[in-house]
Amino acid sequence: MSTDTLEPVVDYDEALRRYDPVMGLEVHVELNTASKMFCGCSTAFGAAPNTQTCPVCLGLPGSMPVVNGSAVESAIRIGLALNCEIADWCRFARKNYFYPDMPKNYQISQYDEPIAFDGHLDIELDDGTPFRIEIERAHMEEDTGKSTHVGGATGRIHGADHSLLDYNRCGVPLIEIVTRPITGAGERAPEVARAYVAALRELMKALKVSDARMEQGNLRCDANLSLRPTPADEFGTRSETKNVNSLRSVENAVRYEITRQAARLDAGQRVVQETRMWHEGDQLTTAGRSKETAEDYRYFPEPDLVPIAPSREWVEQLRATLPEAPGVRLKRLQSEWGFSDAEMTDITNADALEVMEQTVAAGAPAPAARKWWLGELSRRANEAGVGLAELAITPAQVAAVQRLVDAGTINDKLARQVIDGVLAGEGEPDQVVTDRGLAVVSDDGALSAAVDEAIAANPDVAEKIRAGKVQAAGALIGSVMKAMRGQADAGRVRELILEKLT
């Protein structure tokens, strides 16, 4: 990155000694409805550019939007889960601005009449400290398209030769969740930001309203930050770091902005109200554009859509569908499984809680379920670049693999080959064992012959065992297991070796 784009920073602890940070977090949640917010186009991720569009989402003259009922239902459930009031009556508005990936030159959103408002979300910091985030509003809107800048070194518009526009994402349903100013976090402001976005991500997955995959843009955060001399002073001028798409980046972007703004204030300069871009590689922000105010967008009611007036009966029906709160569920499962805090953190970080719970429900012991999902299957998912739930093996099949291990039909090494077969589409675990001939050999005749061969091939090791060095049996066990392609019963092999040599 060019040095002329870099700004001075101060030490983080020094900045916190002189200034009090105030945050505002705007999180965009992309809903997982089958069709878009105002038309019937597919929302499937990864399609060829511009293949999921129609006159409505392209904003062609004469096209008329129709509200997606499933998106409204998801919006209400999100509002309820955030302890919000649900509006008796609300409507859409046009947010007017020119941007290449918004073909209508306006975005259908909600302005002063959101569907959900006045809520809160209680979060827990790393050390268990509770912190309440006040929610100002959660409103419905449509997503924009995607610009790809070609020819530059950074993938951004500056320095690019040309840009490509993909309108597939135009019109995908979004819920924007906006906090009230977050005060009182002090030096823990970056941690609070990360914990809040993490809690929102888990809540969206629990509600099953979004895939909430930050790396795919299903959930992204705009982090607003300002500094003031003391908590008694008025709020300072804020910056808005746009579209931060990982928990680590949310934390680091807030931390960086504190050090950058403090350096400006220390130098007697003013903080500019602007959007800023987060650069993951350099771990810093750079200026985007001057931040518009609401008046700049020239909001006015959307004339092509009728207002939405959810009945109280419908709202209460949806309230009854809310799942167990993610934090409560996590503590319950931790108690049931007997795992430590660190072990549960590993499970949540790997996004394995859902598949773990289903595997245990299918009959597998919790430690075994954790072993498979956070070990072998996590490695397979990483290699394939997919989430655990996207692997071609179900929790019930993982539990079936473990039952085969517990029954002595296969061992852990053979179980990995069974998993290979299931992932390859060869059928259920027991069928893979049969078709591949993977069952453990426990027949004493075959095992005894293999042990005799191993003893004959390793006389020095056999002599050590006869001399009382029983631990040397491990070498002979390994030799037998290799000869039998891992299909021997290791426990029985050890017994036969000791019977023959002691």
Side-chain angles (χ1 to χ4, degrees):
M1 180 174 293
S2 173
T3 55
D4 60 4
T5 64
L6 301 180
E7 294 191 45
V9 297
V10 301
D11 178 76
Y12 181 76
D13 292 333
E14 282 294 320
L16 269 297
R17 274 193 278 273
R18 292 192 292 278
Y19 301 103
D20 177 55
V22 178
M23 294 186 296
L25 301 172
E26 303 170 12
V27 175
H28 291 81
V29 179
E30 194 175 271
L31 300 181
N32 56 7
T33 55
S35 58
K36 293 185 180 180
M37 187 74 207
F38 302 112
C39 67
C41 290
S42 171
T43 60
F45 181 80
N50 298 306
T51 58
Q52 297 176 171
T53 59
C54 72
V56 174
C57 53
L58 290 177
L60 300 184
S63 60
M64 293 291 287
V66 177
V67 174
N68 184 327
S70 293
V72 175
E73 180 176 303
S74 292
I76 294 173
R77 293 181 73 238
I78 289 171
L80 292 171
L82 292 172
N83 303 290
C84 289
E85 297 291 327
I86 304 301
D88 293 319
W89 186 95
C90 65
R91 58 183 172 179
F92 289 97
R94 288 190 182 183
K95 181 180 181 181
N96 296 274
Y97 63 97
F98 171 77
Y99 207 67
D101 57 13
M102 179 57 71
K104 296 194 295 282
N105 290 338
Y106 64 85
Q107 178 187 31
I108 300 179
S109 181
Q110 291 188 303
Y111 175 42
D112 55 346
E113 297 163 315
I115 193 165
F117 55 93
D118 291 348
H120 66 267
L121 181 64
D122 292 321
I123 64 173
E124 194 172 279
L125 304 185
D126 291 343
D127 62 359
T129 300
F131 198 98
R132 173 165 289 190
I133 304 292
E134 300 288 343
I135 306 296
E136 178 181 300
R137 56 193 281 141
H139 66 261
M140 298 178 287
E141 60 186 25
E142 58 179 339
D143 211 344
T144 62
K146 178 182 178 182
S147 299
T148 301
H149 306 298
V150 182
T154 64
R156 299 189 181 277
I157 192 169
H158 299 293
D161 294 329
H162 60 280
S163 297
L164 301 175
L165 295 173
D166 178 8
Y167 291 131
N168 281 351
R169 199 173 65 186
C170 279
V172 168
L174 283 182
I175 303 299
E176 182 175 354
I177 301 167
V178 182
T179 70
R180 289 200 169 91
I182 301 170
T183 61
E187 64 182 10
R188 304 189 76 172
E191 182 188 352
V192 167
R194 171 177 53 80
Y196 168 68
V197 177
L200 269 188
R201 184 184 66 173
E202 294 307 310
L203 182 59
M204 296 305 111
K205 289 192 293 185
L207 291 168
K208 301 187 187 305
V209 296
S210 173
D211 296 335
R213 295 186 62 171
M214 298 187 74
E215 74 279 6
Q216 289 186 1
N218 299 143
L219 189 147
R220 50 195 190 266
C221 177
D222 297 343
N224 295 271
L225 185 106
S226 66
L227 298 180
R228 55 185 176 176
T230 73
D233 291 302
E234 294 183 358
F235 295 160
T237 303
R238 63 186 171 89
S239 66
E240 181 181 11
T241 304
K242 299 287 289 184
N243 294 328
V244 187
N245 65 353
S246 78
L247 298 179
R248 174 176 173 270
S249 294
V250 168
E251 181 172 13
N252 290 346
V254 169
R255 179 179 291 270
Y256 175 81
E257 275 298 290
I258 290 173
T259 64
R260 183 190 70 85
Q261 291 189 23
R264 291 189 69 86
L265 295 173
D266 285 351
Q269 300 173 325
R270 69 183 184 91
V271 173
V272 178
Q273 182 169 322
E274 62 187 357
T275 63
R276 296 186 67 84
M277 303 297 112
W278 173 249
H279 299 269
E280 182 64 33
D282 296 299
Q283 293 289 291
L284 52 81
T285 67
T286 57
R289 68 177 195 274
S290 295
K291 177 61 178 173
E292 295 92 342
T293 63
E295 290 74 20
D296 293 323
Y297 290 121
R298 305 192 320 279
Y299 282 101
F300 63 84
E302 168 57 64
D304 294 334
L305 290 169
V306 298
I308 296 172
S311 70
R312 292 302 94 183
E313 292 78 14
W314 186 34
V315 170
E316 292 309 311
Q317 288 171 7
L318 293 177
R319 191 190 304 275
T321 71
L322 296 182
E324 184 180 24
V328 174
R329 176 192 182 204
L330 190 66
K331 291 185 182 300
R332 173 179 60 78
L333 292 176
Q334 180 175 1
S335 176
E336 291 176 2
W337 296 344
F339 288 161
S340 67
D341 290 346
E343 288 172 324
M344 292 303 291
T345 297
D346 289 342
I347 291 169
T348 54
N349 287 346
D351 201 14
L353 192 66
E354 187 77 21
V355 290
M356 274 277 304
E357 185 176 20
Q358 293 175 11
T359 305
V360 173
R370 182 179 183 275
K371 174 189 68 177
W372 291 120
W373 285 111
L374 268 62
E376 184 69 14
L377 293 169
S378 182
R379 180 179 65 81
R380 304 294 184 94
N382 289 336
E383 289 174 352
V386 299
L388 288 173
E390 296 173 84
L391 288 173
I393 187 169
T394 66
Q397 289 170 326
V398 174
V401 169
Q402 185 58 41
R403 280 196 294 274
L404 291 169
V405 173
D406 293 340
T409 305
I410 57 175
N411 53 35
D412 275 5
K413 183 176 180 180
L414 295 171
R416 291 177 174 83
Q417 296 182 51
V418 176
I419 289 172
D420 279 336
V422 175
L423 290 172
E426 298 174 16
E428 294 299 312
D430 55 351
Q431 182 181 343
V432 174
V433 170
T434 300
D435 292 349
R436 290 195 176 194
L438 296 177
V440 166
V441 176
S442 55
D443 174 64
D444 273 3
L447 293 180
S448 183
V451 168
D452 289 340
E453 290 178 9
I455 291 172
N458 299 276
D460 53 337
V461 176
E463 192 56 38
K464 290 180 180 178
I465 297 171
R466 291 190 182 100
K469 295 183 178 179
V470 177
Q471 64 271 23
L476 292 184
I477 295 170
S479 180
V480 173
M481 296 298 288
K482 182 177 180 181
M484 302 194 72
R485 297 181 303 147
Q487 291 181 247
D489 181 336
R492 184 54 182 153
V493 169
R494 177 182 174 84
E495 291 173 359
L496 289 172
I497 290 172
L498 296 181
E499 285 175 9
K500 292 174 183 286
L501 297 178
T502 59

